[in-house]
């Protein structure tokens, strides 16, 4: 999760909110693709068509970067979305074995500890409130 947030917040500083919102709309197709790649699930042919159409629609809506948007910002938001969906899928096994409360507690604790050095090196928690 720390990687997800670091990528997303950096990407948000380099792109527009509307562009980021459109990219976050890829969560559903990404879950289907990553479930196929990571868990070996077999989507139906109609699912693949829906993934293709939604991806094409996203590309048509987004177009090329313009004022307030950059390819790097859009890419970072997309990579954060990929990381988030992978985290959701890969945590399923942990949840089945340790339960949702334990998994969430340890995920948040480890994520906080891993993110802390980045937060402190960027000026601390009050940097964004000046």
């Amino acid at each position: 999760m720390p990687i997800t947030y670091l990528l997303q917040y950096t990407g948000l500083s380099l792109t527009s909110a509307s562009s980021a919102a459109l990219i976050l709309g890829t969560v559903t197709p990404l879950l289907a693709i990553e479930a196929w790649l990571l868990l070996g699930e077999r989507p139906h042919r109609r699912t693949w068509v829906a993934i293709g159409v939604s991806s094409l629609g996203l590309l048509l809506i987004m177009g090329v970067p313009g004022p307030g948007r950059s390819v790097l910002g859009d890419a970072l938001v997309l990579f954060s979305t990929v990381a988030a969906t992978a985290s959701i899928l890969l945590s399923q096994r942990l949840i089945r074995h340790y339960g949702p409360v334990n998994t969430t507690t340890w995920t948040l604790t480890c994520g906080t500890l891993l993110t802390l050095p980045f937060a402190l090196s960027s000026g601390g928690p009050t940097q964004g409130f000046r």
Side-chain angles (χ1 to χ4, degrees):
M1 290 314 292
I3 293 169
T4 300
Y5 292 123
L6 291 171
L7 290 171
Q8 190 170 79
Y9 294 142
T10 304
L12 286 171
S13 70
L14 300 172
T15 195
S16 67
S18 57
S19 179
L22 287 170
I23 293 169
L24 291 174
T26 64
V27 167
T28 304
L30 281 174
L31 277 171
I33 292 169
E34 289 182 34
W36 171 63
L37 292 172
L38 299 173
L39 305 177
E41 293 186 11
R42 303 276 184 213
H44 191 272
R45 183 176 298 156
R46 284 180 283 170
T47 303
W48 285 116
V49 170
I51 290 169
V53 169
S54 66
S55 299
L56 179 62
L58 176 69
L59 290 172
L60 291 173
I61 290 171
M62 286 187 58
V64 294
R69 291 178 50 207
S70 70
V71 173
L72 178 60
D74 288 352
L76 289 173
V77 173
L78 179 62
F79 291 143
S80 77
T81 307
V82 170
T85 54
S87 173
I88 290 167
L89 292 171
L90 295 174
S91 68
Q92 288 179 1
R93 198 174 300 157
L94 293 173
I95 289 172
R96 274 189 239 116
H97 186 70
Y98 297 107
V101 174
N102 285 336
T103 301
T104 303
T105 301
W106 281 105
T107 300
L108 292 175
T109 301
C110 292
T112 300
L113 294 174
L114 290 169
T115 307
L116 196 57
F118 294 102
L120 295 175
S121 69
S122 67
T126 60
Q127 182 69 20
F129 297 107
R130 290 183 185 169

